Amino acid sequence: MGLGDITRAGVLAAVAECQRLGRETFRRRYGFGRALTYVLVVDGESYDSKAIAGVAHLYSVSTLLSADDFSGGARTVAHRLRALGFTVKDGSTTADHPQHMEPQILLQPRGGARLRGAHNFAKSVRQGIRIADIQDVLGDQATTLNALYPDGIARLWGTTPTTQANNEKVRALRDRRVGDDVYFYTENHFFARARVLHLFTSPPVARRVWGADDDNATWEHIMVLGDVEEFPTLVLAAPVLRRMNVPVPLRSLTLRSLESYRSVLPLLPAKSRPVVPPPPTSPSGTTTPDELTADDLLERLGSLRTHRQPGSQTPSRHQPLSLLWAISRISADRPRLTPWALFRAEVGPLLAEFGLTGSKVTPEYPFWHLRGSGLWEVHGMDRDAGSAPGTGVLDTVQPVAGLTHASAELLRNPFLRLQAVIKLCSTYFDGVDQRELLSRVGLAGYTTAEGLVDGDVEDEEGATATERATGPAARRTRTSSRLVRDAALASRVKELHDHACQICETRLRYKRRPYSEAAHIRGLGNPHDGPDELPNLLCLCPNHHVLFDGLEIYVDVDGLVRDTHGGASVGRLRRHNSHHIDEAHLEYHRTLCDLNRMTRS
């Protein structure tokens, strides 16, 4: 695959996303620098040619081209964009301007209650420190801070020194620089990020702002922060850390290179607010939707303008099936936009298998008409292309389509994604084997509380006939990726409850040792993406662990454990003062049981 695979529609989709995010954020998200020689010009606006081409390749054939993949250089990129009918101009004069060094990624643990981490973040980052209150200890730093913060409120974060010679913290303190991006971490998630505007060391300033820790050390290595953004939805840290070869959980201030940062950008959220306000209409003719809320999304999913066959009140399943398929792409961290050829190849068979009896298999219908939902966009064709472009036109043009940026970002939240799946299944798929449907669209993980934890969707029932034949059991060689759980957390929850099941109080012994199991409430596997932390764990006996993971029992809002399919109480969940359980995880598990009840009815 290469530049020849880029389509005009893919370029228009990339331009629309760049408009929405702003050029700087767009480049940062996908790991590109500013164009120095050639710029793409669309409707009078300039765009970085390599960045647009790389993302256009993602939306044309589902693979992102990185800055290192353009072996022919900027001239080859310009040639391809011109061949697709775009205007490309020589932007070499921009090289005369000073270039900002691209950011590294700095991973910063916030600190727990003992270190007053939450309090310090709220005080010195979220609220900020009045420069006037620390003016007397700032010394020559006062001029810099007053220049950086005209409103007089500085946003600061500090790090204590270390006596070790060359550990992660030492390297981070030594090699970090102005312009780096800081990601704040707590309880297995990233919750905020900021840009480093200035660095300095001052024990007096640190003591005035934060005091000292139990060892009488203070957070004297100070970062001056700008562009602070707290994420509306916490970002699971483990996939990001593992991709950069950082131990999980994050224990220390850690710095990784620009190349590592680029590798994890697809796992991190884009800026919540665009740098440049998006225009009302994209170059492809797709109207930019208004800000979308979670309630809006669910309401629109439940009120799709679907076709009905003459004499029937049953809505067509073409649009709901396409949306379930699109949600599975978000769950699997695949591109939200896809070319027509791929959509037709993957959605067409779903329409044939799960569409209404007698309904024609017409993937072109949802590909085009889902725009009316406000959750879908099409790039590469004029909006007035007709009531439904035929397959011949689509095959020739190869437009790209998929969930809007706003709806895709909302659906990255696992709980809202689960609610969206339930809304679609309950509204449009009565009488369908919904467990089979979810499996076929790529959402098989919803059948258990743990989800798919090792990339293997085949269960025991799917074994081949050869494997079930008499004689020695056959073996398969396979490669899988398994989640790494924190064994210390599992031991902790068992010790807190003295290995007694929190539902039935059973204490088992095996080989003269106590035996119990640590059960995650919201599973770690796809599509649940739950955190590996104590508030997401229960101590259960094997029987109730199986039932809990199998979605046969749940914990109601009053703490009673109930049978999913009959509602009968089977006990009360026992609590422990030192074991806080996150009610949001219990709510997620209850909602998952609602889906299980619906798909088995």
Side-chain angles (χ1 to χ4, degrees):
M1 292 186 180
L3 290 173
D5 298 305
I6 295 174
T7 64
R8 180 176 177 83
V11 174
L12 292 173
V15 167
E17 183 165 355
C18 186
Q19 286 179 329
R20 183 182 295 109
L21 299 176
R23 284 178 67 178
E24 180 183 355
T25 302
F26 181 80
R27 291 196 305 261
R28 286 177 54 207
R29 179 166 193 175
Y30 293 104
F32 286 89
R34 190 172 65 169
L36 300 181
T37 50
Y38 296 101
V39 293
L40 171 68
V41 180
V42 179
D43 293 342
E45 296 292 330
S46 297
Y47 302 90
D48 304 281
S49 56
K50 279 191 176 182
I52 292 295
V55 178
H57 194 272
L58 174 70
Y59 291 146
S60 299
V61 291
S62 300
T63 304
L64 176 71
L65 287 182
S66 72
D68 298 328
D69 291 330
F70 297 102
S71 57
R75 185 179 300 276
T76 307
V77 174
H79 177 76
R80 178 56 183 166
L81 292 174
R82 286 172 176 147
L84 292 171
F86 293 100
T87 299
V88 181
K89 293 186 177 180
D90 185 350
S92 59
T93 55
T94 61
D96 298 331
H97 300 290
Q99 296 295 302
H100 294 290
M101 190 173 292
E102 292 192 67
Q104 305 170 104
I105 183 170
L106 193 60
L107 310 174
Q108 174 67 71
R110 186 198 65 188
R114 184 178 65 85
L115 296 176
R116 306 188 299 280
H119 169 80
N120 287 339
F121 184 88
K123 174 185 177 182
S124 66
V125 178
R126 184 181 297 129
Q127 177 181 328
I129 302 297
R130 292 179 69 246
I131 297 176
D133 292 342
I134 57 174
Q135 188 87 24
D136 60 318
V137 292
L138 275 174
D140 58 4
Q141 298 297 329
T143 301
T144 302
L145 263 63
N146 280 303
L148 290 172
Y149 300 107
D151 62 355
I153 304 296
R155 286 168 172 79
L156 309 175
W157 190 259
T159 303
T160 57
T162 177
T163 59
Q164 298 189 34
N166 195 30
N167 61 2
E168 287 280 12
K169 187 174 183 178
V170 169
R171 291 191 291 271
L173 289 173
R174 180 189 64 212
D175 297 333
R176 63 183 179 173
R177 62 197 183 205
V178 172
D180 287 345
D181 284 343
V182 186
Y183 282 75
F184 287 92
Y185 169 97
T186 187
E187 296 180 349
N188 299 299
H189 288 81
F190 293 113
F191 68 94
R193 67 180 159 204
R195 176 64 60 87
V196 178
L197 301 181
H198 179 57
L199 295 164
F200 69 100
T201 300
S202 174
V205 172
R207 288 185 183 276
R208 177 70 62 83
V209 174
W210 301 294
D213 64 15
D214 294 342
D215 298 322
N216 200 34
T218 190
W219 294 268
E220 60 192 66
H221 299 287
I222 298 172
M223 294 185 290
V224 180
L225 304 176
D227 298 329
V228 177
E229 177 192 357
E230 294 191 60
F231 303 138
T233 301
L234 297 179
V235 177
L236 187 64
V240 179
L241 297 176
R242 291 192 188 104
R243 186 169 292 188
M244 295 190 295
N245 293 319
V246 177
V248 180
L250 182 67
R251 301 293 190 189
S252 169
L253 180 70
T254 300
L255 180 71
R256 286 294 182 265
S257 67
L258 168 62
E259 290 71 25
S260 288
Y261 193 6
R262 285 173 174 170
S263 74
V264 298
L265 280 171
L267 303 178
L268 299 168
K271 284 279 188 180
S272 59
R273 295 181 181 178
V275 176
V276 180
T281 306
S282 76
S284 60
T286 303
T287 301
T288 303
D290 295 332
E291 185 177 353
L292 189 69
T293 68
D295 288 341
D296 292 336
L297 184 143
L298 294 175
E299 190 278 329
R300 293 181 188 187
L301 290 177
S303 56
L304 298 172
R305 287 183 244 169
T306 56
H307 172 72
R308 284 172 169 78
Q309 295 178 345
S312 172
Q313 293 301 311
T314 304
S316 166
R317 295 172 182 157
H318 283 48
Q319 291 190 38
L321 279 167
S322 300
L323 286 169
L324 278 176
W325 170 83
I327 290 172
S328 77
R329 291 179 64 82
I330 299 301
S331 174
D333 199 28
R334 297 174 68 192
R336 63 183 177 89
L337 300 178
T338 185
W340 157 247
L342 180 61
F343 181 92
R344 182 181 189 180
E346 295 191 2
V347 175
L350 296 174
L351 301 181
E353 186 173 353
F354 297 102
L356 294 176
T357 302
S359 180
K360 294 182 180 179
V361 177
T362 52
E364 65 274 17
Y365 176 85
F367 185 88
W368 181 251
H369 285 293
L370 266 171
R371 296 172 307 145
S373 67
L375 306 174
W376 191 265
E377 59 190 36
V378 179
H379 297 273
M381 298 191 69
D382 294 332
R383 290 186 65 82
D384 58 359
S387 57
T391 56
V393 174
L394 296 174
D395 288 343
T396 300
V397 176
Q398 281 299 319
V400 299
L403 293 165
T404 63
H405 182 269
S407 56
E409 288 300 303
L410 284 172
L411 287 164
R412 296 190 194 282
N413 180 303
F415 188 37
L416 182 59
R417 191 163 65 231
L418 172 58
Q419 291 176 303
V421 170
I422 290 176
K423 174 65 75 173
L424 289 168
C425 286
S426 62
T427 306
Y428 304 103
F429 295 104
D430 186 38
V432 174
D433 183 343
Q434 294 182 11
R435 293 174 70 84
E436 178 63 21
L437 168 62
L438 293 179
S439 178
R440 287 280 288 106
V441 298
L443 295 170
Y446 283 122
T447 60
T448 71
E450 274 293 274
L452 299 178
V453 297
D454 62 359
D456 185 8
V457 299
E458 184 180 76
D459 59 20
E460 190 174 332
E461 291 298 316
T464 65
T466 300
E467 291 166 334
R468 289 194 299 265
T470 58
R475 295 182 180 272
R476 288 179 293 171
T477 300
R478 63 183 179 185
T479 302
S480 63
S481 173
R482 291 189 177 273
L483 292 165
V484 179
R485 295 173 171 82
D486 189 336
L489 283 174
S491 297
R492 175 65 175 155
V493 75
K494 295 174 187 180
E495 291 168 0
L496 283 173
H497 294 277
D498 194 23
H499 292 274
C501 177
Q502 288 181 254
I503 295 175
C504 68
E505 300 294 344
T506 297
R507 283 184 175 86
L508 294 174
R509 293 192 66 80
Y510 177 68
K511 294 184 177 179
R512 291 185 287 184
R513 291 184 178 180
Y515 179 82
S516 60
E517 297 181 353
H520 286 92
I521 302 169
R522 185 176 127 210
L524 306 187
N526 179 278
H528 312 312
D529 299 330
D532 191 18
E533 60 187 20
L534 195 60
N536 190 34
L537 283 172
L538 297 176
C539 177
L540 300 179
C541 67
N543 284 350
H544 281 116
H545 190 177
V546 168
L547 293 174
F548 191 85
D549 277 0
L551 307 175
E552 299 296 334
I553 56 175
Y554 66 93
V555 181
D556 72 11
V557 294
D558 297 317
L560 291 176
V561 182
R562 296 189 178 277
D563 178 80
T564 297
H565 299 284
S569 173
V570 297
R572 175 176 290 275
L573 187 72
R574 178 175 43 77
R575 308 279 183 145
H576 189 287
N577 289 337
S578 298
H579 178 202
H580 167 70
I581 298 173
D582 192 329
E583 296 299 324
H585 297 323
L586 290 175
E587 183 183 7
Y588 183 93
H589 184 270
R590 282 195 296 274
T591 307
L592 194 59
C593 287
D594 288 340
L595 177 61
N596 184 50
R597 183 187 306 112
M598 186 170 59
T599 57
R600 287 193 174 183
S601 59

